[in-house]
Amino acid sequence: MDLKNSMEMNEMKEAIRNEIIEFVKKYEEKPGINTKWGTPLVGFGDARHPFILSLKEVISSSHQLPSEVLPDASIVIAYYVPFTRELAKVNAEYGRMAAPLWAESYEETNAMFGILNQHLIGFLEGLGFKGAVSKEASTFNQEKLISNWSQRHFGYAAGLGTFGINNMLITKSGCCGRYSTVVTNLPMEPDQPMEEELCLYKKNGSCGICVRNCPTGALTISDFNRYTCYELCQENAAIYTNFGSSYREEAGDAANSVGSDVCGKCVTGSPCAFWKWR
Ligand code: B12
Ligand code: SF4
Ligand code: SF4
């Protein structure tokens, strides 16, 4: 890539970043939207990075590769949309169950992702490129409790953050937020995975607050039991049936298809939720 092209590609990255940031800012103002979001972070991951190509072995043979979503995939745009400290405080202080606003914000964010991703694809097409979204991203296997499109792993490959012992992908802005991705055929220099370790426990053995805040014991310093975690998420889903039912309808679990699978106590009361210095 020559200098002129690399400058144009940097400008393109900035344009895409701004498109996402501005979209979220405007979406927040829409009538009926109760969620407030912070400034999104955007990364550009290499669709053919060895880490991405290893996901079928690391996660499962049914995990999709970017080329199965878009045949000439080159870059996966991964973005992180943070919630606010106020929302984190409300959920952290609510007791064992998730706060209603946490459940509502989960649903509103997932709904926004669908619309924002289509907007982004239109934006890319306007520039002469292609974009596509994995259908697997909005569902997960109800027995194994894993998805065939791991947003966190694409976020990691795009340099957005590192995995904490709370299992979240922690960014420089924190981990109290949600991830989405769009696969593209953009011809640009990809971002690389972050080298700095952001989880305090992994960095120097301190903290461990997420483990202490987990009401079920699903999270320990060395392990995460997704089934125990899901039990509490399902208890919350039985209460929060009016905000939406992300992932459930697509999973085809008719008997259990309503409600918001949330909890988030390992995220909302943690120092890595927003980092004090930001
Ligand atoms: C299935 C699912 C669940 C299930 C199962 C839990 C699980 N698998 O993590 C249930 C319903 C229980 C659940 C619960 C929650 N979830 Co959930 N869930 C998903 C979903 C749909 C798929 C996750 C998945 O299957 N990943 C593949 C598996 C194998 O990977 P993994 O579980 O992430 O495990 C890997 C990491 O731990 C990683 N890892 C650990 N250390 C290291 C170090 C290195 C160097 C590397 C490379 C990797 C690595 O390796 C593991 C194996 O590969 C994603 C959305 C998506 N499509 O990606 C959201 C998602 C993971 N959930 C999310 C959230 C926020 C939650 C909850 C807080 C609920 C809530 N919103 O209130 C809890 C948190 C539980 C926890 N501590 O992990 C967010 C995480 C955001 C973030 N900041 O990271 C996601 C990404 C949704 C989103 N769009 O943002 N979830
Ligand atoms: S709360 Fe502390 S130990 Fe847990 S993930 Fe965050 S930084 Fe790591
Ligand atoms: S979401 Fe709740 S139950 Fe699951 S690990 Fe986090 S704190 Fe524990």
Side-chain angles (χ1 to χ4, degrees), residues 4-43:
K4 182 174 170 285
N5 272 344
S6 92
M7 277 173 62
E8 279 171 6
M9 283 304 145
N10 281 338
E11 281 166 21
M12 176 97 75
K13 280 187 177 178
E14 262 330 286
I16 292 169
R17 212 166 257 134
N18 284 338
E19 206 59 29
I20 295 174
I21 292 170
E22 288 307 314
F23 184 98
V24 172
K25 225 187 259 172
K26 283 193 200 128
Y27 196 88
E28 199 176 271
E29 303 304 324
K30 277 184 182 282
I33 297 297
N34 290 323
T35 309
K36 298 283 172 226
W37 292 281
T39 306
L41 298 179
V42 184

Side-chain angles (χ1 to χ4, degrees), residues 164-166 170 199-201 207-208 210 270-272:
I165 60 166
N166 63 357
I170 307 174
C199 167
L200 298 173
Y201 185 85
C207 191
C210 50
S270 301
C272 56

Side-chain angles (χ1 to χ4, degrees), residues 214-216 224 229 263-266:
C214 173
T216 61
F224 167 65
C229 173
C263 166
K265 306 291 174 176
C266 52

Side-chain angles (χ1 to χ4, degrees), residues 51 58-59 102 106 137 140 145-147 149-153 156 163 166-169 175 177-179 202 224 226 229-230 233 247 261-264 266-267:
F51 173 74
V58 174
I59 296 182
W102 181 255
Y106 162 87
F140 62 86
L145 299 186
I146 61 169
S147 160
W149 188 262
S150 173
Q151 303 283 19
R152 284 189 270 214
H153 285 81
Y156 172 82
F163 287 90
N166 63 357
N167 227 3
M168 297 293 106
L169 187 69
C175 63
R178 297 186 68 75
Y179 287 90
K202 287 190 174 178
F224 167 65
R226 64 192 71 222
C229 173
Y230 194 36
C233 293
Y247 300 103
D261 286 322
V262 289
C263 166
C266 52
V267 191

Side-chain angles (χ1 to χ4, degrees), residues 7-252:
M7 277 173 62
E8 279 171 6
M9 283 304 145
N10 281 338
E11 281 166 21
M12 176 97 75
K13 280 187 177 178
E14 262 330 286
I16 292 169
R17 212 166 257 134
N18 284 338
E19 206 59 29
I20 295 174
I21 292 170
E22 288 307 314
F23 184 98
V24 172
K25 225 187 259 172
K26 283 193 200 128
Y27 196 88
E28 199 176 271
E29 303 304 324
K30 277 184 182 282
I33 297 297
N34 290 323
T35 309
K36 298 283 172 226
W37 292 281
T39 306
L41 298 179
V42 184
F44 298 84
D46 182 354
R48 301 180 199 106
H49 193 286
F51 173 74
I52 294 299
L53 299 180
S54 74
L55 291 180
K56 280 192 190 287
E57 284 93 65
V58 174
I59 296 182
S60 76
S61 55
S62 53
H63 194 284
Q64 275 191 325
L65 295 180
S67 57
E68 294 170 71
V69 176
L70 187 69
D72 55 343
S74 55
I75 291 284
V76 179
I77 302 175
Y79 60 92
Y80 167 76
V81 181
F83 290 127
T84 60
R85 286 168 196 274
E86 290 71 25
L87 176 61
K89 191 167 183 290
V90 166
N91 195 52
E93 291 175 352
Y94 200 75
R96 183 172 175 277
M97 303 313 284
L101 190 55
W102 181 255
E104 187 171 19
S105 299
Y106 162 87
E107 298 294 353
E108 286 188 352
T109 310
N110 290 343
M112 174 176 74
F113 282 158
I115 305 166
L116 168 50
N117 287 342
Q118 286 315 309
H119 172 82
L120 210 50
I121 290 169
F123 179 73
L124 294 171
E125 285 172 353
L127 296 172
F129 300 102
K130 284 183 270 177
V133 172
S134 168
K135 291 194 175 68
E136 297 287 344
S138 51
T139 183
F140 62 86
N141 182 307
Q142 292 287 306
E143 275 162 33
K144 294 184 184 160
L145 299 186
I146 61 169
S147 160
N148 286 327
W149 188 262
S150 173
Q151 303 283 19
R152 284 189 270 214
H153 285 81
F154 287 106
Y156 172 82
L160 287 180
T162 63
F163 287 90
I165 60 166
N166 63 357
N167 227 3
M168 297 293 106
L169 187 69
I170 307 174
T171 71
K172 292 213 163 174
S173 305
C175 63
C176 184
R178 297 186 68 75
Y179 287 90
S180 191
T181 44
V182 174
V183 181
T184 77
N185 66 345
L186 286 164
M188 57 174 51
E189 207 59 55
D191 297 328
Q192 294 303 320
M194 192 183 280
E195 283 176 14
E196 183 190 353
E197 186 62 72
L198 294 180
C199 167
L200 298 173
Y201 185 85
K202 287 190 174 178
K203 201 173 183 170
N204 56 27
S206 68
C207 191
I209 290 173
C210 50
V211 172
R212 293 203 287 281
N213 284 346
C214 173
T216 61
L219 202 61
T220 63
I221 290 286
S222 56
D223 204 9
F224 167 65
N225 185 327
R226 64 192 71 222
Y227 295 96
T228 311
C229 173
Y230 194 36
E231 279 170 25
L232 183 52
C233 293
Q234 283 180 306
E235 269 188 60
N236 279 306
I239 300 172
Y240 299 121
T241 54
N242 340 338
F243 302 125
S245 308
S246 306
Y247 300 103
R248 290 185 154 230
E249 282 148 6
E250 286 86 348

